[in-house]
Amino acid sequence: MKILVVDDDRVVADLVMFTVRRAGYEAVMASDAVSTLRRWQEYQPDLIILDINLPGTTQLNDGFAICQYIRRQSDVPIILLTVRGEENDIVRGLEAGADDYVLKPFSPRQLIARVQAVLRRGRTAEGSHPSAKLSIDGLEFNPKLRYVSLTNGETKTLTSLESRLLEYLMLNAGHILTTNDLVSDVWGASGGNSEMLRQLVRRLRSKIEDDPTKPFYIQNFPGLGYAFRLKR
Amino acid sequence: MKILVVDDDRVVADLVMFTVRRAGYEAVMASDAVSTLRRWQEYQPDLIILDINLPGTTQLNDGFAICQYIRRQSDVPIILLTVRGEENDIVRGLEAGADDYVLKPFSPRQLIARVQAVLRRGRTAEGSHPSAKLSIDGLEFNPKLRYVSLTNGETKTLTSLESRLLEYLMLNAGHILTTNDLVSDVWGASGGNSEMLRQLVRRLRSKIEDDPTKPFYIQNFPGLGYAFRLKR
DNA sequence: ACCTCTTGTCACAGGTTCGTCACAGGGTTA
DNA sequence: TAACCCTGTGACGAACCTGTGACAAGAGGT
């Protein structure tokens, strides 16, 4: 898996490069619009991590323009890097065709989780088929229609937040996701806190009939966070 | 399925091309009257997406003329692209033989929904026979004559709006259609709102005898919209 | 003039969602 | 043991969503 990292701030770019390489990905970097487009064509990355605040002198070479330009010609996943507090950038970026975003400052672990999630989503959920499902260990989950099918045959519909949480957990199954990661993924820029997460986990668990004392799916790691269990 | 995209604005054309290609269609584009007609004959598309505002110098080569010309020789479906606020264009376009229209600016999701709807209509409703029917799960619906046949044998006539809604839902059966999509499809440029949609859904449901608490056909997805159910 | 059908608007009720608070038990540390 | 943090639990209420009944304006036919 090859990643193209685009950031004009050398420090941030180095950090991102280091992080994704440590996670086992190949990566190259670019720092301006021209080199980004050249590297994108030569290198053919599987994913682009793009700082939306590229110092575009005009509207032709800032982050949004690049995002839009690339999106028109390819469906390579694009993750935006945006500064916390600039929600407009997020909206504009997603409209320009980005797949996800990460708020700066970010934790390495969080960045990797997003990268894996986006890559996996691209592989499994190809297109927007309403029947696209996530299925792990007998738990079948349809993110589009927001319902789960349990092993006993029951199906239950999830709320919007429950669905976000379960999708994030399942897309990163087997990895521990910290409370911060989960909160910032589920609630995004609107902001949540750990208490809200606890309640959400509780409600989701009760819907999928997961006993917290002997969790089958959603396991707590005290002081760290939660993980969707893989093969036990 | 092959689509011919016609737009003189390169940006819009690229966006449309990208959108339909990502949805799995083959597509070529044209930007003026002459190339449109040539590509139409060579490429033999199954659908044409046509910007009605082609810069025709005369009334011989603007969007309406092309639409009319093609319609006289073929029944290939034509979807118009029109600027919001120019309702006259829509009327003229439909009179010129277009099958449907999409307002600019449009969301990719909306464009795809229309494309699928028109293609499906063309496939099932072969031509525009007044006897052409949509039939799903025992509910038979005739969009031209605007009546439904229920499983118990009853037939009821629908109003214009009810018919628009049901057609859109059935043509996109299995997909959740957001409130915004449904409103902008049913009421188009004249503008509706979510309250009007609720009432319309209510009246349609009562006509097809669909119990909202245990919907057989029209299912609500809280916070998202409605969908015509496919076999679970 | 009268009636009917359509459709937009309003008020209300019930359910759901979700944020908040208070509390209990377990593990860890001083 | 006591203090503390983390987690799970129960409960409450506000905000929101949805379904419902009712009414009125307008179009169109008789």
Side-chain angles (χ1 to χ4, degrees):
Chain A
M1 281 294 173
K2 298 181 292 184
I3 299 179
L4 172 58
V5 177
V6 184
D7 202 312
D8 61 307
D9 183 341
R10 186 58 191 263
V11 177
V12 177
D14 279 344
L15 176 59
V16 174
M17 291 291 285
F18 173 71
T19 304
V20 298
R21 280 186 172 148
R22 190 170 56 167
Y25 298 100
E26 222 182 89
V28 299
M29 54 190 275
S31 59
D32 60 62
V34 177
S35 64
T36 299
L37 295 179
R38 195 178 53 229
R39 298 221 169 220
W40 165 53
Q41 301 211 334
E42 291 170 357
Y43 187 59
Q44 303 257 344
D46 300 293
L47 170 71
I48 297 176
I49 299 175
L50 173 68
D51 185 356
I52 205 61
N53 279 324
L54 273 194
T57 52
T58 70
Q59 291 210 338
L60 293 174
N61 57 354
D62 67 354
F64 300 105
I66 294 176
C67 183
Q68 210 163 10
Y69 182 85
I70 291 176
R71 174 54 75 241
R72 277 209 206 98
Q73 311 197 16
S74 154
D75 58 351
V76 57
I78 299 176
I79 293 180
L80 299 180
L81 290 181
T82 61
V83 179
R84 191 177 301 269
E86 310 260 343
E87 283 96 37
N88 283 344
D89 283 1
I90 297 175
V91 176
R92 279 186 63 198
L94 294 178
E95 279 174 357
D99 295 85
D100 203 349
Y101 61 92
V102 172
L103 297 174
K104 285 192 289 193
F106 55 84
S107 72
R109 160 190 313 240
Q110 190 177 347
L111 178 64
I112 293 303
R114 296 295 181 97
V115 166
Q116 291 176 340
V118 166
L119 286 176
R120 213 166 318 191
R121 194 182 317 168
R123 212 179 315 134
T124 59
E126 202 54 49
S128 56
H129 278 293
S131 58
K133 291 197 202 86
L134 286 166
S135 179
I136 298 179
D137 263 344
L139 186 71
E140 231 178 58
F141 169 47
N142 183 326
K144 270 271 185 288
L145 297 181
R146 296 201 321 212
Y147 67 85
V148 286
S149 305
L150 308 183
T151 49
N152 62 18
E154 273 185 286
T155 73
K156 304 200 173 176
T157 61
L158 301 183
T159 72
S160 159
L161 290 181
E162 287 161 0
S163 179
R164 295 261 284 277
L165 175 61
L166 183 57
E167 182 175 13
Y168 196 50
L169 284 170
M170 288 183 81
L171 286 174
N172 294 285
H175 296 74
I176 299 177
L177 300 169
T178 69
T179 300
N180 282 343
D181 289 350
L182 289 169
V183 166
S184 78
D185 190 86
V186 172
W187 281 270
S190 68
N193 58 50
S194 62
E195 173 63 20
M196 286 152 68
L197 178 63
R198 284 200 304 141
Q199 296 303 327
L200 186 59
V201 167
R202 176 169 179 250
R203 283 155 182 159
L204 177 57
R205 272 175 170 164
S206 99
K207 274 209 182 155
I208 64 176
E209 297 179 12
D210 202 29
D211 180 5
T213 64
K214 277 190 281 180
F216 202 81
Y217 297 118
I218 300 177
Q219 186 169 19
N220 172 257
F221 291 81
L224 294 179
Y226 294 89
F228 196 95
R229 275 181 62 165
L230 283 184
K231 62 191 183 242
R232 58 210 132 270
Chain B
M1 280 294 172
K2 298 181 292 184
I3 300 179
L4 171 59
V5 177
V6 184
D7 202 311
D8 60 308
D9 182 342
R10 184 59 192 263
V11 176
V12 176
D14 277 346
L15 179 58
V16 174
M17 290 290 285
F18 171 72
T19 304
V20 299
R21 279 186 172 150
R22 189 162 61 161
Y25 298 99
E26 223 182 89
V28 299
M29 53 191 275
S31 58
D32 59 60
V34 176
S35 64
T36 299
L37 295 179
R38 194 178 53 229
R39 297 219 169 222
W40 166 52
Q41 302 210 334
E42 290 172 358
Y43 187 59
Q44 302 258 342
D46 300 293
L47 170 70
I48 298 176
I49 299 175
L50 173 68
D51 185 355
I52 205 62
N53 280 324
L54 274 194
T57 53
T58 70
Q59 292 212 337
L60 292 174
N61 57 355
D62 67 355
F64 301 105
I66 293 176
C67 184
Q68 213 162 9
Y69 181 85
I70 291 177
R71 174 55 74 242
R72 279 209 207 95
Q73 311 197 13
S74 155
D75 58 353
V76 58
I78 299 176
I79 293 180
L80 299 180
L81 288 182
T82 61
V83 179
R84 191 176 299 271
E86 311 260 343
E87 284 95 35
N88 285 343
D89 284 2
I90 297 175
V91 177
R92 281 186 62 197
L94 294 178
E95 281 172 356
D99 295 84
D100 204 347
Y101 61 92
V102 172
L103 297 174
K104 286 190 288 193
F106 55 85
S107 72
R109 157 195 313 236
Q110 196 173 344
L111 178 64
I112 292 302
R114 298 292 183 97
V115 166
Q116 290 176 340
V118 167
L119 286 177
R120 218 166 316 188
R121 196 184 315 171
R123 209 180 317 133
T124 58
E126 206 51 51
S128 55
H129 281 294
S131 61
K133 290 196 203 86
L134 284 165
S135 178
I136 297 178
D137 262 344
L139 186 70
E140 233 178 57
F141 168 49
N142 183 324
K144 273 275 187 283
L145 298 181
R146 298 205 319 226
Y147 68 86
V148 286
S149 305
L150 309 184
T151 49
N152 60 18
E154 275 185 282
T155 73
K156 305 200 174 178
T157 61
L158 301 183
T159 72
S160 155
L161 290 181
E162 286 162 0
S163 178
R164 294 262 285 277
L165 175 61
L166 182 57
E167 182 175 12
Y168 196 51
L169 284 170
M170 288 184 79
L171 288 173
N172 294 285
H175 295 72
I176 298 178
L177 301 170
T178 67
T179 300
N180 281 343
D181 287 350
L182 289 169
V183 165
S184 79
D185 190 87
V186 172
W187 281 271
S190 67
N193 58 48
S194 63
E195 173 64 20
M196 286 152 70
L197 178 63
R198 283 199 305 142
Q199 296 304 328
L200 186 59
V201 166
R202 176 170 178 250
R203 284 154 181 160
L204 176 56
R205 272 176 171 163
S206 97
K207 274 207 182 159
I208 64 176
E209 297 179 12
D210 203 28
D211 179 6
T213 64
K214 277 190 284 181
F216 200 81
Y217 297 118
I218 300 178
Q219 185 172 19
N220 171 256
F221 290 80
L224 292 179
Y226 293 88
F228 196 95
R229 270 182 65 165
L230 286 183
K231 58 190 181 247
R232 170 63 60 94

